[in-house]
Amino acid sequence: SAVISQKPSRDICQRGTSLTIQCQVDSQVTMMFWYRQQPGQSLTLIATANQGSEATYESGFVIDKFPISRPNLTFSTLTVSNMSPEDSSIYLCSVGQKGEQYFGPGTRLTVT
Amino acid sequence: EDKVVQSPLSLVVHEGDTVTLNCSYEVTNFRSLLWYKQEKKAPTFLFMLTSSGIEKKSGRLSSILDKKELFSILNITATQTGDSAVYLCAVESGSNYQLIWGAGTKLIIKP
């Protein structure tokens, strides 16, 4: 299975600022996914990031708020822009491999 | 609308008990059903099921899929306190690895 790292593991940010989360995979993967998990909730898919094309966003998520980069087959970033306390969540990246999906360790974001 | 429903939402048992977690689904283009264990932040992969009636087993955990009745169960025998976690069920619908997630079952094992 793929080994995925995420940075930062946690952060506390002020309202109105932005945070960029990095996701690194130890092998080349076609599809990478970004999820959000709000306290006490299940996972919600934000977008799918394919290398060489624009990310595909799910309903309720927009590029201006959550810009995503995917410069190559092993790396992606998610930016949470103009943050508000409602953005406090765990953010997870994942990759699909042979039908299975593996997750990075997650980033716990708290917005004050 | 595609959906995945897990039950119960929470469960408290004593160490040594056997538990059965349920996952039912309604999706338009089923490809696979996956079980994950989430303890802190990242879900860790347990099983992927694609065929009906074939049990997958890993130690004290096992799972089976019924594609006719559209559900899966996850069994944990001889539970230990380390089994305490949220267990998530997800269904892959379509060909792009996107998963539809259930709300999870929070399992607490008391010593």
PDB file of all heavy atoms in Angstrom, chain B residues 4 9 24 26 38 42 47 49-50 53 55 63 65 70 78 83 92 98:
ATOM      1  N   VAL B   4     -25.144   5.359   2.125  1.00  0.00           N
ATOM      2  CA  VAL B   4     -24.607   4.266   2.921  1.00  0.00           C
ATOM      3  C   VAL B   4     -25.031   4.511   4.366  1.00  0.00           C
ATOM      4  O   VAL B   4     -24.796   5.601   4.897  1.00  0.00           O
ATOM      5  CB  VAL B   4     -23.072   4.219   2.815  1.00  0.00           C
ATOM      6  CG1 VAL B   4     -22.512   3.156   3.738  1.00  0.00           C
ATOM      7  CG2 VAL B   4     -22.647   3.960   1.374  1.00  0.00           C
ATOM      8  N   LEU B   9     -25.087   3.383  15.587  1.00  0.00           N
ATOM      9  CA  LEU B   9     -24.191   4.537  15.538  1.00  0.00           C
ATOM     10  C   LEU B   9     -23.149   4.460  16.635  1.00  0.00           C
ATOM     11  O   LEU B   9     -22.035   4.966  16.471  1.00  0.00           O
ATOM     12  CB  LEU B   9     -24.990   5.838  15.653  1.00  0.00           C
ATOM     13  CG  LEU B   9     -25.901   6.156  14.470  1.00  0.00           C
ATOM     14  CD1 LEU B   9     -26.624   7.471  14.691  1.00  0.00           C
ATOM     15  CD2 LEU B   9     -25.113   6.195  13.153  1.00  0.00           C
ATOM     16  N   SER B  24     -25.501  -0.928   5.328  1.00  0.00           N
ATOM     17  CA  SER B  24     -26.382  -1.151   4.186  1.00  0.00           C
ATOM     18  C   SER B  24     -26.178  -0.022   3.183  1.00  0.00           C
ATOM     19  O   SER B  24     -25.760   1.074   3.554  1.00  0.00           O
ATOM     20  CB  SER B  24     -27.846  -1.231   4.622  1.00  0.00           C
ATOM     21  OG  SER B  24     -28.262  -0.004   5.170  1.00  0.00           O
ATOM     22  N   GLU B  26     -27.338   1.857  -0.816  1.00  0.00           N
ATOM     23  CA  GLU B  26     -28.118   2.005  -2.047  1.00  0.00           C
ATOM     24  C   GLU B  26     -27.285   2.876  -2.971  1.00  0.00           C
ATOM     25  O   GLU B  26     -27.135   4.072  -2.736  1.00  0.00           O
ATOM     26  CB  GLU B  26     -29.457   2.718  -1.774  1.00  0.00           C
ATOM     27  CG  GLU B  26     -30.445   1.934  -0.954  1.00  0.00           C
ATOM     28  CD  GLU B  26     -31.726   2.728  -0.704  1.00  0.00           C
ATOM     29  OE1 GLU B  26     -32.089   3.569  -1.553  1.00  0.00           O
ATOM     30  OE2 GLU B  26     -32.351   2.518   0.353  1.00  0.00           O
ATOM     31  N   GLN B  38     -11.016   3.947  12.342  1.00  0.00           N
ATOM     32  CA  GLN B  38     -10.482   5.272  12.593  1.00  0.00           C
ATOM     33  C   GLN B  38     -10.332   5.480  14.090  1.00  0.00           C
ATOM     34  O   GLN B  38     -11.311   5.545  14.815  1.00  0.00           O
ATOM     35  CB  GLN B  38     -11.381   6.361  11.986  1.00  0.00           C
ATOM     36  CG  GLN B  38     -10.788   7.749  12.094  1.00  0.00           C
ATOM     37  CD  GLN B  38     -11.625   8.811  11.415  1.00  0.00           C
ATOM     38  OE1 GLN B  38     -12.839   8.703  11.335  1.00  0.00           O
ATOM     39  NE2 GLN B  38     -10.981   9.838  10.891  1.00  0.00           N
ATOM     40  N   ALA B  42      -6.466   9.478  10.885  1.00  0.00           N
ATOM     41  CA  ALA B  42      -6.567   8.822   9.580  1.00  0.00           C
ATOM     42  C   ALA B  42      -7.259   7.466   9.668  1.00  0.00           C
ATOM     43  O   ALA B  42      -6.922   6.646  10.505  1.00  0.00           O
ATOM     44  CB  ALA B  42      -5.180   8.637   8.991  1.00  0.00           C
ATOM     45  N   PHE B  47     -10.816  -3.922   5.060  1.00  0.00           N
ATOM     46  CA  PHE B  47     -11.236  -4.891   4.054  1.00  0.00           C
ATOM     47  C   PHE B  47     -11.825  -4.186   2.839  1.00  0.00           C
ATOM     48  O   PHE B  47     -12.425  -3.125   2.963  1.00  0.00           O
ATOM     49  CB  PHE B  47     -12.341  -5.822   4.599  1.00  0.00           C
ATOM     50  CG  PHE B  47     -11.955  -6.656   5.763  1.00  0.00           C
ATOM     51  CD1 PHE B  47     -12.517  -6.419   7.012  1.00  0.00           C
ATOM     52  CD2 PHE B  47     -11.049  -7.694   5.624  1.00  0.00           C
ATOM     53  CE1 PHE B  47     -12.178  -7.198   8.100  1.00  0.00           C
ATOM     54  CE2 PHE B  47     -10.707  -8.482   6.704  1.00  0.00           C
ATOM     55  CZ  PHE B  47     -11.268  -8.234   7.950  1.00  0.00           C
ATOM     56  N   LEU B  49     -14.482  -5.520  -0.183  1.00  0.00           N
ATOM     57  CA  LEU B  49     -15.355  -6.624  -0.564  1.00  0.00           C
ATOM     58  C   LEU B  49     -15.981  -6.302  -1.911  1.00  0.00           C
ATOM     59  O   LEU B  49     -16.515  -5.206  -2.117  1.00  0.00           O
ATOM     60  CB  LEU B  49     -16.458  -6.801   0.482  1.00  0.00           C
ATOM     61  CG  LEU B  49     -15.970  -7.018   1.909  1.00  0.00           C
ATOM     62  CD1 LEU B  49     -17.068  -6.701   2.905  1.00  0.00           C
ATOM     63  CD2 LEU B  49     -15.518  -8.458   2.080  1.00  0.00           C
ATOM     64  N   THR B  50     -15.923  -7.260  -2.806  1.00  0.00           N
ATOM     65  CA  THR B  50     -16.534  -7.073  -4.122  1.00  0.00           C
ATOM     66  C   THR B  50     -17.516  -8.182  -4.472  1.00  0.00           C
ATOM     67  O   THR B  50     -18.418  -7.970  -5.276  1.00  0.00           O
ATOM     68  CB  THR B  50     -15.463  -6.997  -5.222  1.00  0.00           C
ATOM     69  OG1 THR B  50     -14.654  -8.171  -5.151  1.00  0.00           O
ATOM     70  CG2 THR B  50     -14.584  -5.777  -5.048  1.00  0.00           C
ATOM     71  N   GLY B  53     -20.930 -13.225  -0.410  1.00  0.00           N
ATOM     72  CA  GLY B  53     -20.788 -14.511   0.250  1.00  0.00           C
ATOM     73  C   GLY B  53     -19.373 -14.972   0.541  1.00  0.00           C
ATOM     74  O   GLY B  53     -19.177 -16.026   1.135  1.00  0.00           O
ATOM     75  N   GLU B  55     -16.220 -14.555   2.683  1.00  0.00           N
ATOM     76  CA  GLU B  55     -15.793 -13.901   3.914  1.00  0.00           C
ATOM     77  C   GLU B  55     -14.324 -13.514   3.818  1.00  0.00           C
ATOM     78  O   GLU B  55     -13.474 -14.285   3.375  1.00  0.00           O
ATOM     79  CB  GLU B  55     -15.989 -14.833   5.105  1.00  0.00           C
ATOM     80  CG  GLU B  55     -15.660 -14.171   6.445  1.00  0.00           C
ATOM     81  CD  GLU B  55     -15.789 -15.128   7.620  1.00  0.00           C
ATOM     82  OE1 GLU B  55     -15.170 -16.204   7.571  1.00  0.00           O
ATOM     83  OE2 GLU B  55     -16.511 -14.790   8.578  1.00  0.00           O
ATOM     84  N   SER B  63     -15.406 -10.021   7.642  1.00  0.00           N
ATOM     85  CA  SER B  63     -16.454  -9.242   6.999  1.00  0.00           C
ATOM     86  C   SER B  63     -16.995 -10.027   5.815  1.00  0.00           C
ATOM     87  O   SER B  63     -16.286 -10.830   5.205  1.00  0.00           O
ATOM     88  CB  SER B  63     -15.900  -7.897   6.530  1.00  0.00           C
ATOM     89  OG  SER B  63     -16.929  -7.108   5.967  1.00  0.00           O
ATOM     90  N   LEU B  65     -20.103  -9.723   2.468  1.00  0.00           N
ATOM     91  CA  LEU B  65     -20.958  -8.840   1.675  1.00  0.00           C
ATOM     92  C   LEU B  65     -22.139  -9.632   1.109  1.00  0.00           C
ATOM     93  O   LEU B  65     -21.961 -10.771   0.668  1.00  0.00           O
ATOM     94  CB  LEU B  65     -20.137  -8.246   0.531  1.00  0.00           C
ATOM     95  CG  LEU B  65     -20.848  -7.403  -0.527  1.00  0.00           C
ATOM     96  CD1 LEU B  65     -21.356  -6.096   0.067  1.00  0.00           C
ATOM     97  CD2 LEU B  65     -19.904  -7.131  -1.696  1.00  0.00           C
ATOM     98  N   LEU B  70     -27.953  -6.034  -0.284  1.00  0.00           N
ATOM     99  CA  LEU B  70     -27.267  -4.739  -0.232  1.00  0.00           C
ATOM    100  C   LEU B  70     -26.783  -4.379   1.172  1.00  0.00           C
ATOM    101  O   LEU B  70     -27.086  -3.295   1.712  1.00  0.00           O
ATOM    102  CB  LEU B  70     -28.166  -3.626  -0.785  1.00  0.00           C
ATOM    103  CG  LEU B  70     -28.773  -3.853  -2.172  1.00  0.00           C
ATOM    104  CD1 LEU B  70     -29.579  -2.630  -2.595  1.00  0.00           C
ATOM    105  CD2 LEU B  70     -27.710  -4.174  -3.202  1.00  0.00           C
ATOM    106  N   ALA B  78     -13.872 -11.758  20.382  1.00  0.00           N
ATOM    107  CA  ALA B  78     -12.947 -11.612  21.524  1.00  0.00           C
ATOM    108  C   ALA B  78     -12.394 -10.188  21.580  1.00  0.00           C
ATOM    109  O   ALA B  78     -11.184  -9.973  21.572  1.00  0.00           O
ATOM    110  CB  ALA B  78     -11.823 -12.635  21.420  1.00  0.00           C
ATOM    111  N   ASP B  83      -9.599  -2.330  20.294  1.00  0.00           N
ATOM    112  CA  ASP B  83     -10.567  -2.307  19.188  1.00  0.00           C
ATOM    113  C   ASP B  83     -11.462  -1.081  19.257  1.00  0.00           C
ATOM    114  O   ASP B  83     -12.233  -0.821  18.320  1.00  0.00           O
ATOM    115  CB  ASP B  83     -11.437  -3.564  19.215  1.00  0.00           C
ATOM    116  CG  ASP B  83     -10.651  -4.840  18.972  1.00  0.00           C
ATOM    117  OD1 ASP B  83      -9.682  -4.801  18.179  1.00  0.00           O
ATOM    118  OD2 ASP B  83     -11.000  -5.876  19.580  1.00  0.00           O
ATOM    119  N   GLU B  92     -17.690   2.175  -3.077  1.00  0.00           N
ATOM    120  CA  GLU B  92     -17.201   2.787  -4.299  1.00  0.00           C
ATOM    121  C   GLU B  92     -18.262   2.618  -5.369  1.00  0.00           C
ATOM    122  O   GLU B  92     -18.694   1.506  -5.665  1.00  0.00           O
ATOM    123  CB  GLU B  92     -15.900   2.139  -4.764  1.00  0.00           C
ATOM    124  CG  GLU B  92     -15.335   2.831  -6.000  1.00  0.00           C
ATOM    125  CD  GLU B  92     -14.142   2.109  -6.595  1.00  0.00           C
ATOM    126  OE1 GLU B  92     -13.744   1.066  -6.053  1.00  0.00           O
ATOM    127  OE2 GLU B  92     -13.626   2.582  -7.618  1.00  0.00           O
ATOM    128  N   GLN B  98     -14.140   7.236  -6.255  1.00  0.00           N
ATOM    129  CA  GLN B  98     -14.849   8.056  -5.287  1.00  0.00           C
ATOM    130  C   GLN B  98     -15.692   7.177  -4.380  1.00  0.00           C
ATOM    131  O   GLN B  98     -16.340   6.241  -4.826  1.00  0.00           O
ATOM    132  CB  GLN B  98     -15.714   9.092  -5.990  1.00  0.00           C
ATOM    133  CG  GLN B  98     -14.890  10.198  -6.622  1.00  0.00           C
ATOM    134  CD  GLN B  98     -15.720  11.409  -6.978  1.00  0.00           C
ATOM    135  OE1 GLN B  98     -16.894  11.490  -6.645  1.00  0.00           O
ATOM    136  NE2 GLN B  98     -15.120  12.354  -7.640  1.00  0.00           N
TER     137      GLN B  98
END
